[in-house]
Coordinates of all heavy atoms in Angstrom, one line a residue:
M1 N -189.8 75.0 413.2 CA -188.6 74.2 413.5 C -187.6 74.1 412.4 O -187.9 74.5 411.3 CB -189.1 72.8 414.0 CG -189.5 71.9 412.9 SD -189.8 70.2 413.5 CE -188.5 69.3 412.7
D2 N -186.5 73.5 412.7 CA -185.4 73.3 411.7 C -185.3 71.8 411.5 O -185.4 71.0 412.4 CB -184.1 73.8 412.3 CG -183.9 75.3 412.1 OD1 -184.9 75.9 411.5 OD2 -182.9 75.9 412.5
I3 N -185.1 71.5 410.2 CA -184.7 70.2 409.8 C -183.3 70.1 409.3 O -182.7 71.1 409.0 CB -185.7 69.6 408.8 CG1 -185.7 70.5 407.5 CG2 -187.1 69.5 409.4 CD1 -186.3 69.8 406.4
K4 N -182.7 68.9 409.3 CA -181.4 68.7 408.8 C -181.5 68.3 407.3 O -182.3 67.4 407.0 CB -180.6 67.7 409.5 CG -180.5 67.9 411.0 CD -179.2 68.7 411.2 CE -179.0 68.8 412.7 NZ -178.2 70.1 413.0
I5 N -180.7 68.8 406.4 CA -180.7 68.5 405.1 C -179.1 68.4 404.7 O -178.3 69.2 405.1 CB -181.3 69.5 404.1 CG1 -182.8 69.7 404.5 CG2 -181.2 69.0 402.6 CD1 -183.5 70.5 403.6
K6 N -178.9 67.3 404.0 CA -177.5 67.1 403.5 C -177.5 67.5 402.0 O -178.2 67.0 401.2 CB -177.0 65.7 403.5 CG -176.8 65.3 405.0 CD -176.3 63.8 405.0 CE -176.1 63.4 406.5 NZ -176.0 61.9 406.6
I7 N -176.6 68.4 401.7 CA -176.5 68.9 400.3 C -175.1 68.8 399.8 O -174.1 69.3 400.4 CB -176.9 70.5 400.2 CG1 -178.3 70.6 400.7 CG2 -176.7 70.9 398.8 CD1 -178.8 72.1 400.9
I8 N -174.9 68.0 398.7 CA -173.6 67.8 398.0 C -173.5 68.9 397.0 O -174.4 68.9 396.1 CB -173.4 66.4 397.5 CG1 -173.7 65.4 398.6 CG2 -172.1 66.3 396.8 CD1 -173.7 64.0 398.1
D9 N -172.5 69.8 397.1 CA -172.4 70.8 396.1 C -171.9 70.4 394.9 O -171.5 69.3 394.6 CB -171.7 72.1 396.7 CG -170.2 71.8 397.0 OD1 -169.7 70.9 396.3 OD2 -169.7 72.5 397.8
R10 N -171.7 71.3 393.9 CA -171.2 70.9 392.5 C -169.7 70.6 392.5 O -169.2 70.1 391.5 CB -171.4 72.0 391.5 CG -172.9 72.3 391.3 CD -173.2 73.4 390.5 NE -174.7 73.6 390.1 CZ -175.3 74.7 390.1 NH1 -174.5 75.9 390.2 NH2 -176.5 74.8 389.9
D11 N -169.0 70.8 393.6 CA -167.6 70.3 393.8 C -167.6 69.0 394.5 O -166.4 68.6 394.9 CB -166.8 71.3 394.5 CG -166.7 72.6 393.7 OD1 -166.6 72.6 392.4 OD2 -166.8 73.7 394.3
G12 N -168.7 68.4 394.8 CA -168.7 67.1 395.5 C -168.6 67.3 397.0 O -168.3 66.2 397.7
V13 N -168.6 68.4 397.5 CA -168.5 68.7 399.0 C -169.8 68.6 399.7 O -170.8 69.1 399.3 CB -167.9 70.0 399.3 CG1 -167.7 70.3 400.8 CG2 -166.5 70.2 398.6
L14 N -169.9 67.8 400.8 CA -171.1 67.5 401.5 C -171.2 68.6 402.6 O -170.4 68.8 403.4 CB -171.1 66.1 402.1 CG -172.2 65.8 403.1 CD1 -173.5 65.6 402.3 CD2 -171.9 64.6 403.9
H15 N -172.4 69.2 402.6 CA -172.8 70.1 403.7 C -174.0 69.7 404.4 O -175.0 69.3 403.8 CB -173.1 71.5 403.0 CG -172.1 72.1 402.1 ND1 -171.1 72.9 402.6 CD2 -171.8 71.8 400.7 CE1 -170.3 73.2 401.5 NE2 -170.7 72.6 400.5
E16 N -174.0 69.7 405.8 CA -175.1 69.3 406.5 C -175.6 70.6 407.1 O -175.0 71.3 407.9 CB -174.8 68.3 407.5 CG -176.0 67.8 408.3 CD -175.9 66.5 409.0 OE1 -174.7 66.0 409.1 OE2 -176.9 66.0 409.6
I17 N -176.8 71.0 406.7 CA -177.3 72.3 407.1 C -178.7 72.2 407.8 O -179.4 71.2 407.7 CB -177.3 73.2 405.9 CG1 -178.2 72.6 404.8 CG2 -176.0 73.6 405.3 CD1 -179.5 73.2 404.7
D18 N -179.0 73.3 408.5 CA -180.3 73.3 409.1 C -181.2 74.2 408.2 O -180.8 75.3 407.8 CB -180.2 74.0 410.4 CG -179.4 73.3 411.5 OD1 -179.6 72.0 411.5 OD2 -178.6 73.8 412.2
A19 N -182.4 73.7 407.9 CA -183.4 74.5 407.1 C -184.6 74.7 407.9 O -185.1 73.8 408.5 CB -183.6 73.7 405.8
P20 N -185.1 75.9 407.9 CA -186.4 76.2 408.6 C -187.6 75.7 407.9 O -187.7 75.9 406.6 CB -186.4 77.7 408.8 CG -185.7 78.2 407.5 CD -184.7 77.1 407.2
T21 N -188.5 75.2 408.6 CA -189.9 74.7 408.0 C -190.9 75.8 408.0 O -191.9 75.7 407.4 CB -190.4 73.5 408.7 OG1 -190.6 73.8 410.1 CG2 -189.5 72.3 408.7
D22 N -190.6 76.9 408.8 CA -191.6 77.9 409.0 C -191.3 79.2 408.3 O -191.9 80.2 408.7 CB -191.7 78.1 410.6 CG -190.4 78.4 411.2 OD1 -189.4 78.6 410.5 OD2 -190.4 78.7 412.4
M23 N -190.5 79.2 407.3 CA -190.2 80.4 406.6 C -190.6 80.4 405.2 O -190.2 81.2 404.3 CB -188.7 80.7 406.8 CG -188.4 81.3 408.1 SD -186.7 81.7 408.4 CE -186.5 83.0 407.2
N24 N -191.4 79.4 404.9 CA -192.0 79.2 403.5 C -190.8 79.3 402.4 O -190.9 80.0 401.4 CB -193.0 80.4 403.1 CG -193.8 80.1 401.9 OD1 -194.0 78.9 401.6 ND2 -194.3 81.1 401.3
M25 N -189.8 78.6 402.8 CA -188.6 78.5 401.8 C -188.7 77.1 401.0 O -189.2 76.1 401.4 CB -187.3 78.4 402.6 CG -187.0 79.8 403.2 SD -185.4 79.8 404.1 CE -184.2 80.1 402.8
N26 N -188.0 77.2 399.8 CA -187.9 76.0 399.1 C -186.4 75.6 399.1 O -185.5 76.4 399.5 CB -188.4 76.2 397.6 CG -187.7 77.3 396.9 OD1 -186.5 77.3 396.8 ND2 -188.5 78.2 396.4
L27 N -186.1 74.5 398.6 CA -184.7 74.0 398.6 C -183.7 74.9 397.8 O -182.6 75.1 398.3 CB -184.6 72.6 398.0 CG -183.4 71.8 398.3 CD1 -183.0 71.7 399.7 CD2 -183.4 70.4 397.5
M28 N -184.2 75.4 396.7 CA -183.3 76.3 395.9 C -182.9 77.5 396.8 O -181.8 78.0 396.9 CB -183.9 76.8 394.7 CG -183.3 77.8 393.8 SD -183.6 79.5 394.3 CE -185.2 79.8 393.6
E29 N -183.9 78.1 397.5 CA -183.6 79.2 398.4 C -182.7 78.9 399.5 O -181.9 79.7 399.9 CB -184.9 79.8 398.9 CG -185.7 80.4 397.8 CD -187.2 80.8 398.2 OE1 -187.7 80.0 399.1 OE2 -187.8 81.6 397.6
V30 N -182.8 77.7 400.1 CA -181.9 77.2 401.1 C -180.5 77.2 400.5 O -179.5 77.7 401.2 CB -182.4 75.9 401.7 CG1 -181.3 75.3 402.6 CG2 -183.7 76.0 402.4
V31 N -180.3 76.6 399.4 CA -179.0 76.5 398.8 C -178.4 77.8 398.6 O -177.2 78.1 399.0 CB -179.0 75.7 397.5 CG1 -177.7 75.8 396.7 CG2 -179.4 74.3 397.6
R32 N -179.2 78.8 398.2 CA -178.7 80.2 398.0 C -178.4 80.8 399.3 O -177.3 81.5 399.5 CB -179.8 81.0 397.3 CG -179.8 80.7 395.8 CD -180.9 81.4 395.1 NE -180.9 82.8 395.3 CZ -180.6 83.7 394.3 NH1 -180.5 83.3 393.1 NH2 -180.6 85.0 394.6
S33 N -179.2 80.6 400.3 CA -179.0 81.3 401.6 C -177.6 80.8 402.2 O -177.0 81.5 402.9 CB -180.1 81.2 402.5 OG -180.3 79.9 403.0
Y34 N -177.2 79.6 402.0 CA -176.0 79.1 402.5 C -174.8 79.3 401.5 O -173.8 78.8 401.7 CB -176.2 77.5 402.9 CG -176.8 77.4 404.2 CD1 -178.2 77.2 404.3 CD2 -176.0 77.3 405.4 CE1 -178.8 76.9 405.5 CE2 -176.7 77.1 406.6 CZ -178.1 76.9 406.7 OH -178.6 76.7 407.9
E35 N -175.2 79.9 400.4 CA -174.2 80.1 399.3 C -173.4 78.8 399.0 O -172.2 78.8 398.8 CB -173.2 81.2 399.8 CG -173.9 82.5 400.0 CD -173.0 83.7 400.5 OE1 -171.8 83.4 400.7 OE2 -173.5 84.8 400.6
L36 N -174.2 77.8 398.7 CA -173.7 76.5 398.3 C -173.4 76.4 396.7 O -172.9 75.5 396.3 CB -174.5 75.4 398.8 CG -174.7 75.3 400.3 CD1 -175.5 74.1 400.6 CD2 -173.3 75.4 401.1
A37 N -173.9 77.4 396.0 CA -173.6 77.5 394.5 C -173.4 79.0 394.4 O -174.1 79.9 394.9 CB -174.8 77.0 393.8
P38 N -172.5 79.4 393.4 CA -172.2 80.7 393.1 C -173.5 81.5 392.7 O -174.3 81.0 391.9 CB -171.2 80.7 392.0 CG -170.6 79.4 392.1 CD -171.6 78.4 392.6
E39 N -173.6 82.7 393.1 CA -174.6 83.6 392.6 C -174.7 83.6 391.1 O -173.7 83.5 390.5 CB -174.3 85.0 393.1 CG -175.4 86.1 392.9 CD -176.6 85.8 393.8 OE1 -176.4 85.4 395.0 OE2 -177.7 86.0 393.3
G40 N -175.9 83.6 390.6 CA -176.1 83.5 389.1 C -176.0 82.2 388.5 O -176.2 82.0 387.3
T41 N -175.8 81.2 389.3 CA -175.8 79.8 388.8 C -176.9 79.0 389.3 O -177.1 77.8 388.9 CB -174.5 79.0 389.1 OG1 -174.4 78.7 390.5 CG2 -173.3 79.8 388.7
I42 N -177.7 79.5 390.2 CA -178.9 78.8 390.7 C -179.9 79.7 391.0 O -179.7 80.8 391.5 CB -178.4 78.0 392.0 CG1 -179.6 77.0 392.4 CG2 -178.0 78.9 393.1 CD1 -179.2 76.0 393.4
G43 N -181.2 79.3 390.7 CA -182.4 80.2 391.0 C -182.5 81.2 389.9 O -183.1 82.3 390.3
I44 N -182.1 81.0 388.7 CA -182.1 82.1 387.8 C -183.5 82.6 387.4 O -183.7 83.7 387.2 CB -181.4 81.5 386.5 CG1 -179.8 81.4 386.8 CG2 -181.5 82.5 385.3 CD1 -179.0 80.6 385.8
C45 N -184.5 81.7 387.3 CA -185.8 82.1 387.0 C -186.6 82.6 388.2 O -187.8 83.0 388.1 CB -186.6 81.0 386.3 SG -187.0 79.7 387.4
G46 N -186.0 82.6 389.3 CA -186.6 83.0 390.6 C -187.5 82.0 391.2 O -188.4 82.4 392.0
G47 N -187.4 80.8 390.8 CA -188.2 79.7 391.4 C -189.5 79.5 390.7 O -190.5 79.0 391.3
M48 N -189.5 79.7 389.4 CA -190.8 79.6 388.5 C -190.8 78.3 387.7 O -191.7 78.1 386.9 CB -190.9 80.7 387.5 CG -190.8 82.1 388.2 SD -192.3 82.5 389.1 CE -193.4 82.8 387.8
A49 N -189.9 77.3 388.0 CA -189.8 76.1 387.2 C -189.6 76.3 385.8 O -190.1 75.6 384.9 CB -191.0 75.3 387.5
M50 N -188.8 77.4 385.5 CA -188.6 77.8 384.1 C -187.1 77.8 383.7 O -186.8 78.3 382.7 CB -189.2 79.2 383.8 CG -190.7 79.1 383.8 SD -191.4 80.7 383.7 CE -190.9 81.2 382.1
C51 N -186.1 77.3 384.5 CA -184.8 77.4 384.1 C -183.9 76.1 384.4 O -182.9 76.0 383.8 CB -184.0 78.6 384.8 SG -183.8 78.3 386.6
A52 N -184.4 75.3 385.4 CA -183.6 74.1 385.7 C -182.2 74.3 386.4 O -181.5 73.4 386.6 CB -183.5 73.1 384.6
S53 N -181.9 75.6 386.6 CA -180.7 75.9 387.4 C -180.6 75.3 388.7 O -179.6 75.2 389.4 CB -180.4 77.4 387.4 OG -181.3 78.0 388.3
C54 N -181.8 75.0 389.3 CA -181.9 74.5 390.7 C -182.0 73.0 390.7 O -182.3 72.4 391.7 CB -183.1 75.1 391.4 SG -184.7 74.7 390.6
Q55 N -181.7 72.3 389.5 CA -181.9 70.9 389.5 C -181.0 70.2 390.5 O -179.9 70.5 390.7 CB -181.5 70.3 388.1 CG -181.9 68.8 387.9 CD -181.3 68.2 386.7 OE1 -181.3 67.0 386.6 NE2 -180.8 69.0 385.7
C56 N -181.6 69.2 391.2 CA -180.8 68.4 392.1 C -181.2 66.9 392.0 O -182.3 66.6 391.5 CB -180.9 68.9 393.5 SG -182.6 68.9 394.1
Y57 N -180.4 66.1 392.5 CA -180.6 64.6 392.5 C -181.0 64.2 394.0 O -180.2 64.6 394.9 CB -179.5 63.9 392.0 CG -178.9 64.3 390.7 CD1 -177.6 64.7 390.6 CD2 -179.8 64.4 389.6 CE1 -177.1 65.1 389.3 CE2 -179.3 64.9 388.4 CZ -178.0 65.2 388.3 OH -177.5 65.6 387.0
V58 N -182.1 63.6 394.2 CA -182.5 63.2 395.5 C -181.9 61.9 395.8 O -182.2 60.9 395.1 CB -184.1 63.1 395.5 CG1 -184.5 62.6 397.0 CG2 -184.7 64.5 395.3
K59 N -181.1 61.8 396.8 CA -180.2 60.6 397.1 C -180.8 59.8 398.2 O -180.5 58.6 398.4 CB -178.8 61.0 397.4 CG -178.2 61.9 396.4 CD -176.8 61.9 396.4 CE -176.1 60.6 396.0 NZ -175.1 60.7 395.1
S60 N -181.7 60.4 399.1 CA -182.2 59.6 400.2 C -183.6 59.2 399.8 O -184.2 59.6 398.8 CB -182.3 60.5 401.4 OG -183.0 61.7 401.1
D61 N -184.2 58.3 400.6 CA -185.4 57.6 400.3 C -186.6 58.4 400.9 O -187.2 57.9 401.9 CB -185.4 56.2 400.7 CG -186.5 55.4 400.2 OD1 -187.2 55.9 399.2 OD2 -186.8 54.3 400.6
H62 N -186.9 59.6 400.5 CA -187.9 60.4 401.1 C -189.1 60.5 400.1 O -188.9 60.6 399.0 CB -187.5 61.9 401.3 CG -186.6 62.0 402.7 ND1 -185.4 61.5 402.8 CD2 -187.0 62.6 403.8 CE1 -184.9 61.7 403.9 NE2 -185.8 62.3 404.6
G63 N -190.3 60.3 400.7 CA -191.5 60.4 399.9 C -191.9 61.9 399.6 O -192.6 62.5 400.5
L64 N -191.3 62.4 398.6 CA -191.5 63.8 398.3 C -192.8 64.0 397.5 O -193.3 63.1 396.8 CB -190.4 64.4 397.5 CG -189.0 64.3 398.3 CD1 -187.8 64.7 397.3 CD2 -188.9 65.2 399.5
P65 N -193.3 65.2 397.6 CA -194.6 65.5 396.8 C -194.3 65.2 395.3 O -193.2 65.5 394.8 CB -194.8 66.9 397.1 CG -194.2 67.3 398.3 CD -192.9 66.4 398.3
E66 N -195.4 64.8 394.6 CA -195.2 64.6 393.1 C -194.8 65.9 392.4 O -195.1 66.9 392.8 CB -196.5 64.1 392.6 CG -197.0 62.8 393.1 CD -196.2 61.6 392.6 OE1 -196.0 61.5 391.4 OE2 -195.8 60.9 393.4
K67 N -194.2 65.6 391.3 CA -193.8 66.8 390.4 C -195.1 67.4 389.8 O -196.0 66.7 389.4 CB -192.9 66.4 389.3 CG -191.6 65.7 389.7 CD -190.8 65.3 388.5 CE -189.7 64.5 388.9 NZ -189.7 63.1 388.4
S68 N -195.2 68.7 389.8 CA -196.2 69.3 389.0 C -196.0 69.2 387.5 O -194.8 68.9 387.1 CB -196.2 70.9 389.3 OG -195.0 71.5 388.9
D69 N -197.0 69.6 386.7 CA -196.8 69.5 385.3 C -195.6 70.5 384.9 O -194.9 70.1 384.0 CB -198.1 69.9 384.6 CG -199.2 68.8 384.8 OD1 -198.8 67.7 385.2 OD2 -200.3 69.1 384.4
D70 N -195.6 71.7 385.5 CA -194.5 72.6 385.1 C -193.1 71.9 385.4 O -192.2 72.1 384.6 CB -194.6 73.9 385.9 CG -195.8 74.7 385.4 OD1 -196.4 74.4 384.3 OD2 -196.2 75.7 386.2
E71 N -193.0 71.4 386.5 CA -191.7 70.7 386.9 C -191.4 69.6 385.9 O -190.2 69.5 385.4 CB -191.7 70.2 388.3 CG -190.3 69.6 388.8 CD -190.3 69.2 390.3 OE1 -191.3 69.4 390.9 OE2 -189.3 68.6 390.6
E72 N -192.3 68.8 385.6 CA -192.2 67.6 384.6 C -191.6 68.3 383.3 O -190.7 67.7 382.7 CB -193.4 66.9 384.4 CG -193.9 66.1 385.5 CD -193.3 64.7 385.6 OE1 -192.3 64.5 384.9 OE2 -193.8 63.9 386.3
A73 N -192.3 69.3 382.9 CA -192.0 69.9 381.5 C -190.6 70.5 381.5 O -189.9 70.3 380.5 CB -193.1 71.0 381.2
M74 N -190.2 71.1 382.6 CA -188.9 71.8 382.6 C -187.8 70.7 382.6 O -186.8 70.7 381.9 CB -188.8 72.7 383.8 CG -187.5 73.5 383.8 SD -187.3 74.7 382.4 CE -185.9 74.0 381.6
L75 N -188.0 69.7 383.4 CA -187.1 68.6 383.5 C -186.9 67.8 382.2 O -185.9 67.2 381.8 CB -187.4 67.6 384.6 CG -187.1 68.2 386.0 CD1 -187.6 67.3 387.1 CD2 -185.6 68.3 386.2
A76 N -188.0 67.8 381.4 CA -188.0 67.1 380.1 C -187.0 67.8 379.1 O -186.6 67.2 378.2 CB -189.5 67.0 379.5
E77 N -186.8 69.1 379.4 CA -185.9 69.9 378.5 C -184.6 70.1 379.1 O -183.7 70.5 378.4 CB -186.6 71.3 378.2 CG -187.9 71.3 377.5 CD -188.4 72.7 377.5 OE1 -187.6 73.7 377.7 OE2 -189.6 72.8 377.2
A78 N -184.4 69.8 380.3 CA -183.1 70.1 380.9 C -182.0 69.1 380.6 O -182.3 67.9 380.1 CB -183.3 70.1 382.5
F79 N -180.8 69.5 380.8 CA -179.7 68.5 380.7 C -179.4 67.8 382.0 O -179.8 68.2 383.0 CB -178.3 69.4 380.3 CG -178.5 70.1 379.0 CD1 -178.7 71.5 379.0 CD2 -178.4 69.4 377.8 CE1 -178.8 72.1 377.8 CE2 -178.6 70.0 376.6 CZ -178.8 71.5 376.5
N80 N -178.6 66.7 381.8 CA -178.2 65.9 383.0 C -179.3 65.4 383.9 O -179.1 65.2 385.1 CB -177.2 66.8 383.9 CG -176.0 67.2 383.1 OD1 -175.3 66.6 382.5 ND2 -175.8 68.6 383.1
V81 N -180.5 65.2 383.3 CA -181.6 64.7 384.1 C -181.4 63.3 384.3 O -181.1 62.4 383.4 CB -182.9 65.0 383.3 CG1 -184.1 64.4 384.0 CG2 -183.0 66.6 383.2
R82 N -181.8 62.8 385.5 CA -181.7 61.5 386.0 C -183.1 61.1 386.6 O -183.9 62.0 386.8 CB -180.7 61.2 387.1 CG -179.2 61.5 386.7 CD -178.3 61.3 387.8 NE -177.0 61.8 387.5 CZ -176.0 62.0 388.4 NH1 -176.3 61.7 389.6 NH2 -174.8 62.5 388.0
E83 N -183.3 59.8 386.8 CA -184.5 59.3 387.5 C -184.9 60.1 388.7 O -186.1 60.4 388.9 CB -184.3 57.9 388.0 CG -184.6 56.7 387.1 CD -186.0 56.8 386.6 OE1 -186.9 56.4 387.3 OE2 -186.1 57.2 385.5
N84 N -183.9 60.5 389.5 CA -184.1 61.1 390.8 C -184.0 62.6 390.7 O -183.8 63.3 391.8 CB -183.2 60.5 391.8 CG -181.8 60.7 391.5 OD1 -181.3 61.0 390.4 ND2 -180.9 60.4 392.4
S85 N -184.0 63.2 389.6 CA -183.9 64.6 389.4 C -185.2 65.4 389.9 O -186.3 64.9 389.7 CB -183.7 65.1 387.9 OG -182.5 64.8 387.5
R86 N -185.0 66.5 390.6 CA -186.1 67.4 391.0 C -185.7 68.8 390.8 O -184.4 69.0 390.8 CB -186.5 67.2 392.4 CG -187.1 65.8 392.8 CD -188.4 65.5 392.1 NE -189.5 66.5 392.4 CZ -190.5 66.3 393.1 NH1 -190.6 65.1 393.7 NH2 -191.4 67.2 393.2
L87 N -186.6 69.7 390.7 CA -186.2 71.1 390.8 C -186.3 71.6 392.2 O -187.4 71.5 392.8 CB -187.2 72.0 389.9 CG -187.1 71.6 388.4 CD1 -188.2 72.4 387.7 CD2 -185.8 71.9 387.8
G88 N -185.1 72.1 392.7 CA -185.1 72.5 394.1 C -186.2 73.6 394.4 O -186.7 73.6 395.5
C89 N -186.5 74.5 393.5 CA -187.4 75.5 393.8 C -188.8 75.0 393.9 O -189.7 75.8 394.4 CB -187.4 76.6 392.8 SG -188.0 76.1 391.1
Q90 N -189.0 73.8 393.5 CA -190.4 73.2 393.7 C -190.6 72.4 394.9 O -191.6 71.7 395.1 CB -190.7 72.4 392.4 CG -190.6 73.2 391.1 CD -191.6 74.5 391.1 OE1 -192.8 74.3 391.2 NE2 -191.0 75.6 390.9
L91 N -189.5 72.3 395.7 CA -189.5 71.4 396.8 C -189.6 72.4 398.1 O -188.5 73.0 398.5 CB -188.3 70.6 397.0 CG -188.2 69.5 395.9 CD1 -186.9 68.8 396.0 CD2 -189.4 68.5 396.0
H92 N -190.7 72.6 398.6 CA -190.9 73.4 399.8 C -190.5 72.6 401.1 O -190.8 71.5 401.2 CB -192.3 73.9 399.9 CG -192.6 74.9 398.8 ND1 -192.4 76.3 399.1 CD2 -192.9 74.8 397.6 CE1 -192.6 76.9 397.9 NE2 -193.0 76.0 397.0
I93 N -189.8 73.3 401.9 CA -189.2 72.7 403.1 C -190.2 72.3 404.1 O -191.0 73.2 404.5 CB -188.2 73.7 403.7 CG1 -187.1 74.1 402.8 CG2 -187.5 73.0 405.0 CD1 -186.2 73.0 402.2
T94 N -190.4 71.0 404.4 CA -191.4 70.6 405.4 C -190.7 69.6 406.3 O -189.7 69.2 406.0 CB -192.5 69.8 404.6 OG1 -191.9 68.6 404.0 CG2 -193.2 70.7 403.6
E95 N -191.4 69.3 407.4 CA -190.8 68.4 408.4 C -190.6 67.0 407.8 O -189.6 66.3 408.3 CB -191.8 68.3 409.6 CG -191.7 69.6 410.5 CD -192.7 69.5 411.7 OE1 -193.0 68.4 412.1 OE2 -193.2 70.6 412.0
A96 N -191.4 66.7 406.8 CA -191.2 65.4 406.2 C -189.8 65.2 405.5 O -189.4 64.1 405.2 CB -192.3 65.0 405.3
M97 N -189.2 66.3 405.3 CA -187.8 66.3 404.6 C -186.7 66.2 405.5 O -185.6 66.2 405.1 CB -187.7 67.6 403.8 CG -188.5 67.6 402.5 SD -188.0 69.2 401.8 CE -189.2 69.2 400.5
D98 N -186.9 66.0 406.8 CA -185.8 65.9 407.7 C -185.0 64.8 407.3 O -185.4 63.7 407.0 CB -186.4 65.7 409.2 CG -185.2 65.9 410.2 OD1 -184.4 66.6 410.0 OD2 -185.4 65.2 411.2
G99 N -183.6 65.0 407.2 CA -182.7 64.0 406.8 C -182.5 63.8 405.3 O -181.7 63.0 404.8
L100 N -183.2 64.6 404.5 CA -183.0 64.5 403.1 C -181.6 64.7 402.6 O -180.9 65.6 403.2 CB -183.9 65.7 402.5 CG -184.0 65.7 401.0 CD1 -185.0 64.6 400.5 CD2 -184.6 67.1 400.5
E101 N -181.3 64.0 401.7 CA -180.0 64.2 401.1 C -180.1 64.4 399.6 O -180.7 63.7 398.9 CB -179.0 63.0 401.3 CG -177.6 63.1 400.8 CD -176.7 62.0 401.3 OE1 -177.1 61.3 402.2 OE2 -175.6 61.9 400.7
V102 N -179.5 65.5 399.1 CA -179.6 65.8 397.7 C -178.2 66.2 397.2 O -177.3 66.7 397.9 CB -180.5 67.0 397.4 CG1 -181.9 66.7 397.8 CG2 -180.1 68.3 398.1
E103 N -178.0 66.2 395.9 CA -176.8 66.5 395.2 C -177.2 67.6 394.1 O -178.1 67.3 393.4 CB -176.1 65.3 394.6 CG -174.9 65.6 393.9 CD -174.1 64.4 393.3 OE1 -174.6 63.2 393.5 OE2 -173.1 64.6 392.7
L104 N -176.5 68.6 394.1 CA -176.8 69.6 393.1 C -176.4 69.1 391.7 O -175.3 68.6 391.6 CB -176.1 71.0 393.4 CG -176.4 71.6 394.7 CD1 -175.7 73.0 394.8 CD2 -177.9 71.9 394.9
A105 N -177.2 69.2 390.7 CA -176.8 68.9 389.4 C -175.8 69.8 388.8 O -175.7 71.0 389.2 CB -178.1 68.8 388.5
P106 N -175.0 69.4 387.8 CA -174.1 70.3 387.2 C -174.7 71.5 386.6 O -175.9 71.5 386.3 CB -173.4 69.5 386.1 CG -173.7 68.1 386.4 CD -175.0 68.1 387.1
E107 N -174.0 72.6 386.7 CA -174.5 73.9 386.1 C -174.8 73.7 384.6 O -174.0 73.0 383.9 CB -173.4 75.0 386.3 CG -173.8 76.3 386.0 CD -172.8 77.3 386.1 OE1 -171.6 77.0 386.7 OE2 -172.8 78.4 385.7
E108 N -175.9 74.2 384.2 CA -176.2 74.2 382.7 C -175.5 75.4 382.1 O -175.7 76.5 382.5 CB -177.7 74.2 382.5 CG -178.3 72.9 383.0 CD -179.7 72.7 382.4 OE1 -180.1 73.4 381.5 OE2 -180.4 71.7 382.9
L109 N -174.9 75.1 381.0 CA -174.1 76.1 380.3 C -174.8 76.6 379.1 O -175.6 75.9 378.5 CB -172.7 75.7 379.9 CG -171.8 75.4 381.2 CD1 -170.5 74.8 380.8 CD2 -171.6 76.6 382.1
Ligands
FES201 S1 -185.0 78.3 390.0 FE1 -185.5 78.1 387.9 S2 -186.4 76.1 387.8 FE2 -186.0 76.3 389.9

């Protein structure tokens, strides 16, 4: 099935998109598939929790899975990290995420 996710891009524009729960996608891949961030600025490590280019801020009150040690470690080194930061590539699209709202963190230079 598809769920709705709101994604605020790096220009502050809100996109409400449909994301499939049955294609084993993560949030970073969804952002890429809708081209909400320029190629080469997101998903640089391929989803290995090793670059933080997919960092986003979770704005809605969803009980998301805990961060793995790898995600924690990467966020500890990243820039612009906030309380609600997550790595999009570590968030697998599930039905529980219906209505999720996230904002893409600024590009790391
Ligand atoms: S794509 Fe590199 S940490 Fe998510």
